[in-house]
Amino acid sequence: MSVDDVAQTDAPCSQDESTKKRAVLAGCFFTFVYCIGLTLTIPFAQARRDELGCDALCVGTYSSLQSTLRLAGAVVIGRLSDRVGRRPMLWVGILGNLASMGIAAALPTIPGMFLSLVPSALLDQIYSVLRALFTDFFPGKGGAAEAARTDSIGRLGMALGFAMMLGSGLGGRVAGSFAQAQAIGGVFVLLSLPLIGLLPSPTSTQATSSPSSGGSESLWKLMALPVLKKPGARLLVGLRISMSLAFWLFYAVWTPSLKGRFDFGPAQHGQFMAFIGLVHALAQGVIAKPLICKCAGDGKQSDPTILLCACLCSLALCRVPALLTTDIRVVYLTYFFMVVALGTVNILISSAAAMLAGGSSETGGLYGVLEACEAAAGMAGPAMGGMLARAETSLGVRHLVLVVVVALYSVNMVAVALRYKR
């Protein structure tokens, strides 16, 4: 990623420090409350699918539909947040999730399960919208602006991690079924609604497009993202697609392997996800920032290339013992390093995307595109992982999925080493 891809001058920022701190605190508190409501049902997800009679084909179709809807919603909601505003899109996301909860409660069937997916998968892009909002408060290029932006996004990830830890850990304890967990979660989602009002607005108003005479022309102007013409942006898109594809390929064999090696049930899944949430929170809020400052520098000549390559290497190599070991302690240890590495990579990509966007007029759209890349990989990844796993048996090749996943991360490391330098 060359320095030419990034805006050369710092954007003016007249926000006082107290307003910035209030924005970060309010955004993190909102995320914490909201995400607890969404994660309470995690321990019951598989049991619910079994109860409804959702077989492997049903699960695969559900995952593909979810990714397809997220792909469409991420780009549109992200771009609308640039034009209409960040807070209105937060309201839309909450209302979408409440609609999904209502449909799931009213129709406890497989068609109801699919129908309930539509509003939330399309409209809930809250995390990317909040990242764009935080970027609005810390615009510009340079050591101070980048450090503040990294810190705010890290705190947001920490709030998400703690919410995941508490939600998935407590879901199985405070509720006896999926329906009860969802009802309690709905209360938390409702409680998050008024918290949006605590979010201050950036001093610099977001760009709005001037009306045009043609509807198709207006839509084209709305969705156009000139930032995607930059080589740096295309590199970020490629990284996000290939990393997400590697995740989904690995996921196809990971969950069955937990059941086969350790007889994982709802309680064990809840405990494991609580651990992931805790490490995610620590990685985003405590570990990543000093790691980035120490390894990449925080001045104008900062270069995170080596750190990014090291994180990608960790994501590749740690999957080998995680998948092959019969010691659950090794699984937890390797996932600690993987979650820390992934959290660091996500912060670096978010910070780079903010600089490439060069202001609020395209930030939400670019974040939306990156989210859509993950969704696109989610459409093809599970099916590809399943086919590779089946090929292992038919061809007699052991750990074919693992080899492909490590190869994808290796390609990413080469691309970063050659292209990422600022």
Side-chain angles (χ1 to χ4, degrees), residues 62 77 112 115 121 128 135 159 189 213 251 313 323 329 348 353 355 387 403 417-418:
Y62 183 89
I77 296 297
L115 187 60
S128 60
T135 300
V189 173
S213 56
Y251 183 79
C313 182
L323 186 64
R329 293 172 297 182
L348 289 172
M355 289 191 294
M387 288 188 292
V403 171
L418 296 178

Side-chain angles (χ1 to χ4, degrees), residues 202-289:
T203 298
S204 56
T205 58
Q206 289 147 2
T208 56
S209 59
S210 57
S212 63
S213 56
S216 60
E217 182 182 358
S218 298
L219 180 61
W220 173 253
K221 287 184 177 181
L222 171 66
M223 300 308 300
L225 275 174
V227 68
L228 291 178
K229 298 178 181 178
K230 298 180 179 180
R234 292 198 292 267
L235 176 62
L236 294 185
V237 168
L239 284 175
R240 186 56 79 195
I241 290 176
S242 56
M243 287 179 62
S244 300
L245 185 60
F247 168 83
W248 283 110
L249 291 174
F250 187 76
Y251 183 79
V253 296
W254 173 247
T255 302
S257 77
L258 288 177
K259 179 67 176 177
R261 288 179 294 163
F262 308 111
D263 194 26
F264 257 42
Q268 290 77 16
H269 275 292
Q271 181 180 354
F272 185 66
M273 291 306 299
F275 169 78
I276 296 297
L278 174 61
V279 178
H280 184 275
L282 294 175
Q284 296 272 296
V286 179
I287 301 174
K289 183 183 176 181

Side-chain angles (χ1 to χ4, degrees), residues 65-290:
L65 176 61
Q66 183 180 44
S67 297
T68 303
L69 293 171
R70 283 184 56 221
L71 174 64
V75 178
V76 174
I77 296 297
R79 201 66 180 112
L80 283 175
S81 76
D82 289 332
R83 302 303 182 94
V84 179
R86 312 295 186 205
R87 285 194 293 184
M89 295 302 103
L90 298 179
W91 283 92
V92 167
I94 290 180
L95 294 176
N97 254 309
L98 288 174
S100 291
M101 290 180 175
I103 295 172
L107 299 172
T109 61
I110 290 181
M113 183 179 75
F114 277 83
L115 187 60
S116 67
L117 175 64
V118 176
S120 58
L122 270 178
L123 303 178
D124 183 8
Q125 310 296 333
I126 283 178
Y127 189 63
S128 60
V129 172
L130 278 172
R131 282 187 298 170
L133 177 63
F134 282 11
T135 300
D136 294 340
F137 281 96
F138 303 98
K141 171 181 173 286
E146 186 172 355
R149 188 163 51 242
T150 298
D151 181 64
S152 66
I153 294 175
R155 290 175 186 271
L156 183 63
M158 182 171 65
L160 175 63
F162 278 129
M164 184 189 305
M165 179 189 69
L166 290 177
S168 57
L170 292 176
R173 299 176 184 271
V174 301
S177 66
F178 179 88
Q180 292 180 8
Q182 189 174 61
I184 298 171
V187 173
F188 278 91
V189 173
L190 284 171
L191 289 175
S192 69
L193 275 169
L195 298 181
I196 297 178
L198 300 179
L199 288 166
S201 298
T203 298
S204 56
T205 58
Q206 289 147 2
T208 56
S209 59
S210 57
S212 63
S213 56
S216 60
E217 182 182 358
S218 298
L219 180 61
W220 173 253
K221 287 184 177 181
L222 171 66
M223 300 308 300
L225 275 174
V227 68
L228 291 178
K229 298 178 181 178
K230 298 180 179 180
R234 292 198 292 267
L235 176 62
L236 294 185
V237 168
L239 284 175
R240 186 56 79 195
I241 290 176
S242 56
M243 287 179 62
S244 300
L245 185 60
F247 168 83
W248 283 110
L249 291 174
F250 187 76
Y251 183 79
V253 296
W254 173 247
T255 302
S257 77
L258 288 177
K259 179 67 176 177
R261 288 179 294 163
F262 308 111
D263 194 26
F264 257 42
Q268 290 77 16
H269 275 292
Q271 181 180 354
F272 185 66
M273 291 306 299
F275 169 78
I276 296 297
L278 174 61
V279 178
H280 184 275
L282 294 175
Q284 296 272 296
V286 179
I287 301 174
K289 183 183 176 181

Side-chain angles (χ1 to χ4, degrees), residues 327-357:
D327 188 341
I328 191 63
R329 293 172 297 182
V330 176
V331 172
Y332 275 83
L333 179 62
T334 53
Y335 258 79
F336 173 85
F337 288 109
M338 287 199 305
V339 173
V340 170
L342 183 60
T344 304
V345 169
N346 286 339
I347 288 179
L348 289 172
I349 289 179
S350 295
S351 181
M355 289 191 294
L356 286 166

